[in-house]
Amino acid sequence: MRLTRMRQPGLVCVAAILFAALALRATAAEDGRFEIRNAYVELVEDVWQLDVRLDLGLSEAARQAFDEGVPLTLTLEAEASTARRFLPDETVVSLSRRWQLAYDAIADRYVVTNPASDERASHASREEALAALARIRELPLANTAKLPSDGRFEMRVRASVEVGEMPVAIKILLFWKSWSRSTEWYIWSVRP
Amino acid sequence: MTRRALPIAVGIGIVVWVVALALLAVTTEGSRRFEELQPWILLINIAGVVVLLALIGTRLTGFIRDWRRHVPGSRLRGRTILMFGGLAVAPLLLVFTFSVLFLTRGIDSWFHAEVRQGLSDALGLSRAALDLRMREILDRTGRIADDLSELRGGSLYMSLDNHLRLAGADELIVTSAGGQPEAYSTAGMLHGMPAVPQEELLLQVRQGRPFVSLEPAPGGGYLIRAATRIGSAQSLRGSRLLIATYPVPQRLADLAATVQKSYQQYGQLSYLREPLKLSFVLTLSLVLLMALLAALYGALYFSERLVRPVQDLIAGTRAVAKGDFETRLSKPSHDEIGFLVASFNDMTIKLARAREEAERSKAAVEAERASLAVILARLTSGVISLEPDFRVRVANQAAGQILGMDFDQAAGQPLAELAARHPLLGQLHAVMLRHLDAGEDEWREQLTLRGESGRRELVCACTALPGDAAVMGGLVVVFDEVTQLLQAQRQAAWGEVARRLAHEIRNPLTPIQLSAERMRRKLFRGLTSSDAELLDRSTQTIVQQVEAMKQMVAAFSEYAKAPEMQISEVDVNVMIRQVSDLYHAQDPRVAFGLALDARAAILEADPGRIRQLLNNLLTNSVEALDGRNNPVIMIETKRAGDQILLTVTDNGPGFQDSLIEQAFDPYVTSKPKGTGLGLAIVRRVVEEHGGQVELENAPQGGARITITLPAARRERA
């Protein structure tokens, strides 16, 4: 009988994918915790306002880049949806807000900017600035007309943070690199 | 897709691809203008790669198939692809390598220590300048606080406004120790209630330490915020704070903003350093890949275009080699290849015309040859055409008949070999050699060929065929058999002789006989008995000899006479049986063997002469068998086409070699009492009936006479 050496490219590929996944997971574990600690909405004078509290941990590389002047961008996505019988949920409100945290080397202060309102708030330390960024208060979500009158709807929020303003071309070219971190969707039901 | 639409589509594709590559290079640098287009640009480039790969795969597959099938031109195309590919790939790789090198070094050069140090120095200088300003502001704020220490209510407001104006501050706020505003004054656009002081500010001032900080202004630029306690109260309770906000001079603010922006951009660039290098290298690699693929496709495409006319030429040449002169190639261009193709087409046209001419000439030659063959076949003269090396080129049927051989398979064979196997041809060959040895190409001679069937008289003429200047084109030998003609001439002469003899001799014979009888009758009585006996004996002899001469003269007369033939159908087999029975009855000692072919029976002939012919033949044989033991005469008839062969063979002594050639001549006989007219009459009868007679000695001994007579017309096929 003639013995032939069998190649098993499938096993090699699977091993490589597992190795890559473990490596990515290890990298993620090294980074700081980034998740939504809690979130809620409340109706204030016919306006639903969103409050979100984040655990905004940064990796060491992101901290170093941040200290060198690279801005940090926090994006918050919020969606309100209503349940429909026999149909998928209808998204009635969808908004996205961005905040940028940058280090001002001249003033030696950390500046949080809301590009939408051009509000700027400076902080003496990075931790103070991160804490301020991680606490989103009274973010107008929608007026009551856009949401069900009975006050029953589903909410979900998700945050992502990105260090630096990476050109899209580089993001696409280096597609295998993780340029931003995102939280899982934080979902809850709003009841009157 | 039409032939015109394809290049347009390819051109548009190339333009789109080049634009996409340029946009890719631009967007890699971070231009926001094309960010939204970025995925499409990359998609176009990837699609370009895929299209190029597909095109290359198609052409490469075709090329490999042609290479394996050893299609003409595939080797040349392979070398062309290697040459084109090598010429394109080597510079591309060189440029790519140096581009990557320069690019990475260029990016690294952005982050030299000098640059970083310069930026740090600029930052430090800016801070130092602002620190000086901040200290001044802090001092100024302290003096204002001292002035405000005793003021309350309206005078406080008035003083605040006055200090605001004098100090050039944007805002002056007097707060409680807890940060609650008690009085304030603002300048410019700052209206409304002042903001709650920062916690750090309150903490520091509560601790008794003045606070000053440089803060980014909400609308851009910077502002200096200073705070200090008003008065000298040691207790925090009841103390007040003065918080002042001053603008930074525009010039200084702009410079500081520039430094800050540079610092931030530098940090961003530093952060993007490795991704930028990697993305540039990837972009370059993508460009290189597409350029390589384009070069490879170009090499495949242009090699195919370059080699296609050569392949067409090879195919055309092969077609021409196989005899297809109708091959025409399409002219690819007006360059040298086009000229070559045009020359090839001209050549094939001329070859086609030449072939048509050759075919016409060949057809004409074939027609001439066929005509000549027909003529040769119909000729009664023998014709032999010889090559210059004495091989038989062609010989007609008559030549074979005259020379007693078959020339059907003789074409191409040396004449000497044929001559060795056929005696008559050998004699003719010897005569030809004799003339050639004498240097005579053209000669004419009457020949006598001797064979088993007797002597043959030929009138032969030979002439040389035209050939090259140095070598003759061969020989042609034409000969006629004149044996029968000569015999006929001799026969006529002998007939005349016979007639004259009959006439001249018969006339005096009767007077001689009568005179002898009268002389005997007159003189017999007066002579003595001895003389009378002598006279009687002499006159008897004279009478007998005269009688014999009369018979001879009668025979001559008979030979000379040619009475009208009475033609009717004769069953020769029946006549043979009758005559043979008669002879057997006369001489029972002679055995007759008959082998008569029922198909060879009916002749259109004069029955009397045929009977005379048979009588003469059998008489000749019976006389030849006189004194022989077991005398046998074989008579055989056989059908040969439209001819009837009659063969009479005996087991006698045969013909003497010296007489065999003149056996049919009159008065030629080997028998003591023969007149020599028997076979002569046989021959005359045969010829009168359009036949032939041949005489030979049989191999087993004895004579054999073969007579060929035409069968009756109704018996012919």
Side-chain angles (χ1 to χ4, degrees):
Chain A
M1 181 183 291
R2 185 177 178 183
L3 294 176
T4 55
R5 186 176 177 184
M6 298 295 289
R7 289 187 174 182
Q8 295 178 324
L11 285 178
V12 174
C13 290
V14 169
I17 291 169
L18 284 175
F19 179 78
L22 288 173
L24 284 173
R25 181 165 289 278
T27 305
E30 287 175 3
D31 295 343
R33 179 184 292 272
F34 179 56
E35 61 184 12
I36 294 175
R37 186 182 296 175
N38 60 53
Y40 61 90
V41 290
E42 61 180 350
L43 187 61
V44 179
E45 296 178 354
D46 292 338
V47 174
W48 287 97
Q49 294 181 339
L50 175 65
D51 278 49
V52 179
R53 186 182 294 273
L54 300 166
D55 277 339
L56 188 54
L58 293 180
S59 65
E60 185 55 38
R63 287 173 189 275
Q64 189 177 352
F66 180 68
D67 289 341
E68 288 181 356
V70 179
L72 182 147
T73 303
L74 175 71
T75 304
L76 183 74
E77 297 170 83
E79 291 179 0
S81 58
T82 56
R84 292 187 295 182
R85 182 171 292 180
F86 308 122
L87 290 172
D89 294 349
E90 180 187 15
T91 301
V92 291
V93 174
S94 176
L95 66 81
S96 176
R97 291 288 182 270
R98 294 173 70 235
W99 292 267
Q100 194 177 59
L101 172 61
Y103 174 64
D104 191 321
I106 297 291
D108 191 21
R109 292 184 71 84
Y110 297 87
V111 182
V112 177
T113 308
N114 183 350
S117 60
D118 203 21
E119 290 177 2
R120 302 178 79 189
S122 66
H123 302 273
S125 66
R126 183 176 63 201
E127 285 68 23
E128 186 183 337
L130 286 173
L133 193 62
R135 184 73 176 91
I136 298 167
R137 300 170 189 268
E138 299 171 357
L139 177 67
L141 183 64
N143 56 27
T144 52
K146 286 190 175 180
L147 289 167
S149 56
D150 59 358
R152 291 175 177 271
F153 53 92
E154 301 293 324
M155 276 300 301
R156 63 177 189 167
V157 294
R158 181 175 66 174
S160 60
V161 65
E162 181 182 355
V163 178
E165 294 180 346
M166 196 64 66
V168 178
I170 294 178
K171 287 182 184 176
I172 295 175
L173 279 172
L174 309 182
F175 60 91
W176 64 90
K177 284 182 175 286
S178 175
W179 299 107
S180 63
R181 298 176 65 194
S182 296
T183 66
E184 299 293 328
W185 283 103
Y186 186 88
I187 303 170
W188 74 100
S189 298
V190 180
R191 296 291 180 265
Chain B
M1 190 173 286
T2 62
R3 290 175 65 87
R4 185 170 292 181
L6 182 62
I8 294 173
V10 171
I12 292 172
I14 290 173
V15 169
V16 169
W17 170 54
V18 170
V19 170
L21 275 179
L23 289 176
L24 179 67
V26 171
T27 53
T28 306
E29 294 173 7
S31 171
R32 290 188 178 278
R33 203 161 29 145
F34 297 110
E35 267 194 3
E36 293 179 356
L37 295 174
Q38 182 67 30
W40 295 105
I41 292 168
L42 267 177
L43 195 64
I44 288 172
N45 282 291
I46 292 169
V49 170
V50 171
V51 168
L52 273 175
L53 282 174
L55 290 172
I56 289 170
T58 305
R59 291 194 179 271
L60 204 57
T61 305
F63 166 67
I64 292 171
R65 186 180 61 239
D66 290 348
W67 179 278
R68 286 181 175 170
R69 291 179 181 173
H70 299 283
V71 172
S74 57
R75 264 60 183 171
L76 175 62
R77 194 180 167 201
R79 285 196 294 272
T80 310
I81 291 170
L82 280 179
M83 188 175 66
F84 282 176
L87 284 175
V89 168
L92 278 174
L93 287 177
L94 199 63
V95 170
F96 172 76
T97 306
F98 279 94
S99 297
V100 169
L101 200 61
F102 285 135
L103 191 65
T104 52
R105 288 192 176 183
I107 292 176
D108 286 339
S109 69
W110 300 348
F111 306 98
H112 282 169
E114 294 80 4
V115 178
R116 180 177 291 275
Q117 186 59 47
L119 196 58
S120 295
D121 292 346
L123 189 63
L125 190 61
S126 301
R127 282 176 173 173
L130 289 168
D131 280 347
L132 185 61
R133 178 72 177 170
M134 286 162 65
R135 280 197 293 274
E136 291 174 2
I137 293 293
L138 188 61
D139 291 344
R140 191 182 304 165
T141 304
R143 288 195 296 272
I144 294 171
D146 291 343
D147 289 343
L148 298 177
S149 60
E150 301 299 331
L151 298 177
R152 302 281 179 181
S155 58
L156 179 60
Y157 274 100
M158 289 178 62
S159 181
L160 281 176
D161 289 341
N162 189 35
H163 282 297
L164 181 76
R165 189 172 59 256
L166 290 175
D170 284 339
E171 187 178 59
L172 291 175
I173 306 171
V174 176
T175 69
S176 64
Q180 296 299 317
E182 292 183 358
Y184 63 94
S185 176
T186 60
M189 299 299 293
L190 295 175
H191 294 291
M193 288 296 288
V196 175
Q198 298 159 327
E199 192 66 26
E200 57 172 317
L201 182 149
L202 294 174
L203 284 173
Q204 187 169 333
V205 175
R206 282 174 192 159
Q207 291 171 357
R209 292 185 290 120
F211 173 88
V212 64
S213 72
L214 179 71
E215 297 178 11
Y222 291 95
L223 56 84
I224 297 173
R225 194 182 305 276
T228 184
R229 287 173 66 173
I230 299 174
S232 55
Q234 294 298 319
S235 171
L236 194 60
R237 181 183 298 270
S239 65
R240 294 181 300 167
L241 308 179
L242 173 64
I243 301 172
T245 303
Y246 296 87
V248 174
Q250 189 62 42
R251 172 65 179 158
L252 192 58
D254 290 345
L255 290 175
T258 303
V259 172
Q260 164 60 19
K261 186 176 181 183
S262 300
Y263 179 82
Q264 196 171 20
Q265 286 179 342
Y266 188 82
Q268 175 82 2
L269 275 179
S270 180
Y271 179 65
L272 293 177
R273 179 178 178 175
E274 292 306 322
L276 263 180
K277 283 161 67 175
L278 193 55
S279 64
F280 276 129
V281 170
L282 279 175
T283 305
L284 270 176
S285 301
L286 185 62
V287 173
L288 172 74
L289 175 65
M290 296 196 69
L292 283 176
L293 292 177
L296 181 57
Y297 178 74
L300 286 165
Y301 177 74
F302 287 111
S303 68
E304 185 179 336
R305 288 200 58 175
L306 192 67
V307 172
R308 189 181 299 150
V310 179
Q311 287 179 320
D312 291 344
L313 277 172
I314 292 171
T317 308
R318 289 188 170 182
V320 168
K322 289 178 180 174
D324 181 9
F325 296 147
E326 300 303 320
T327 303
R328 301 286 182 273
L329 304 180
S330 58
K331 197 174 178 181
S333 56
H334 296 285
D335 55 4
E336 289 78 2
I337 294 289
F339 175 75
L340 193 60
V341 169
S343 301
F344 177 85
N345 287 337
D346 289 343
M347 181 193 73
T348 54
I349 290 170
K350 288 175 181 175
L351 280 174
R353 287 178 184 165
R355 186 174 69 173
E356 287 175 6
E357 291 287 339
E359 285 178 349
R360 277 201 292 271
S361 300
K362 187 179 176 183
V365 168
E366 289 294 331
E368 289 290 332
R369 183 171 294 176
S371 302
L372 189 61
V374 170
I375 292 169
L376 285 176
R378 296 289 185 273
L379 278 178
T380 57
S381 300
V383 178
I384 300 175
S385 175
L386 299 172
E387 301 284 355
D389 59 352
F390 268 54
R391 291 177 182 273
V392 174
R393 182 182 291 160
V394 68
N396 67 348
Q397 194 175 359
Q401 290 174 349
I402 292 170
L403 297 175
M405 59 179 292
D406 186 4
F407 273 105
D408 287 349
Q409 305 296 326
Q413 294 188 33
L415 187 64
E417 289 183 7
L418 293 170
R421 295 199 300 268
H422 300 91
L424 295 180
L425 181 61
Q427 295 171 50
L428 177 61
H429 183 230
V431 173
M432 290 168 63
L433 290 179
R434 177 165 52 79
H435 283 285
L436 283 175
D437 290 342
E440 297 171 1
D441 288 340
E442 294 190 11
W443 47 270
R444 184 180 182 85
E445 184 178 340
Q446 183 170 339
L447 309 174
T448 301
L449 305 181
R450 292 172 176 81
E452 293 178 350
S453 59
R455 187 180 63 184
R456 297 201 175 192
E457 298 288 341
L458 301 184
V459 174
C460 184
C462 178
T463 186
L465 294 173
D468 295 339
V471 182
M472 66 173 181
L475 292 171
V476 61
V477 184
V478 181
F479 47 90
D480 279 307
E481 185 179 7
V482 294
T483 309
Q484 292 181 352
L485 179 64
L486 293 175
Q487 286 178 347
Q489 289 173 352
R490 276 199 299 270
Q491 193 172 342
W494 279 113
E496 182 63 20
V497 169
R499 191 179 60 79
R500 285 177 178 273
L501 276 175
H503 181 72
E504 295 297 332
I505 294 175
R506 186 189 300 172
N507 288 342
L509 283 180
T510 301
I512 290 170
Q513 185 180 8
L514 290 175
S515 298
E517 288 176 350
R518 184 178 176 185
M519 187 169 61
R520 179 179 176 273
R521 194 168 52 245
K522 291 284 186 179
L523 297 176
F524 188 78
R525 294 174 187 167
L527 293 178
T528 60
S529 60
S530 59
D531 289 338
E533 186 182 353
L534 177 62
L535 178 65
D536 183 57
R537 203 168 46 243
S538 299
T539 52
Q540 284 291 334
T541 300
I542 290 169
V543 170
Q544 288 175 358
Q545 290 301 318
V546 167
E547 191 62 33
M549 287 187 72
K550 278 187 176 179
Q551 290 179 3
M552 185 182 293
V553 168
F556 285 158
S557 179
E558 184 69 20
Y559 177 76
K561 279 196 296 185
E564 285 293 320
M565 290 206 298
Q566 303 296 320
I567 299 298
S568 62
E569 287 193 349
V570 176
D571 189 333
V572 71
N573 289 341
V574 172
M575 196 170 283
I576 286 171
R577 287 192 187 93
Q578 292 173 353
V579 174
S580 62
D581 289 345
L582 182 63
Y583 275 79
H584 183 66
Q586 289 177 354
D587 189 355
R589 193 176 52 89
V590 178
F592 285 86
L594 303 181
L596 305 179
D597 187 352
R599 297 176 302 148
I602 309 302
L603 295 172
E604 288 178 350
D606 185 333
R609 295 195 184 191
I610 295 299
R611 187 177 295 276
Q612 183 185 12
L613 180 146
L614 291 172
N615 283 331
N616 286 3
L617 287 174
L618 295 185
T619 300
N620 191 61
S621 294
V622 168
E623 289 176 352
L625 293 171
D626 187 23
R628 306 286 292 189
N629 294 324
N630 300 320
V632 177
I633 298 174
M634 287 293 302
I635 305 174
E636 182 183 8
T637 59
K638 192 162 56 178
R639 184 71 180 265
D642 295 337
Q643 305 290 322
I644 292 174
L645 298 182
L646 168 61
T647 307
V648 178
T649 309
D650 61 51
N651 58 349
F655 294 99
Q656 295 175 11
D657 290 340
S658 59
L659 294 179
I660 198 167
E661 294 176 2
Q662 294 92 24
F664 290 107
D665 291 347
Y667 317 117
V668 174
T669 180
S670 59
K671 290 173 283 194
K673 294 181 180 178
T675 59
L677 292 176
L679 290 180
I681 291 170
V682 166
R683 177 172 190 146
R684 196 185 67 192
V685 170
V686 169
E687 290 177 351
E688 282 173 350
H689 287 83
Q692 289 181 329
V693 58
E694 291 183 358
L695 183 150
E696 60 185 338
N697 287 324
Q700 67 274 18
R704 176 189 291 163
I705 297 174
T706 304
I707 294 170
T708 305
L709 291 170
R713 280 189 287 271
R714 68 180 178 90
E715 293 286 311
R716 297 175 189 173

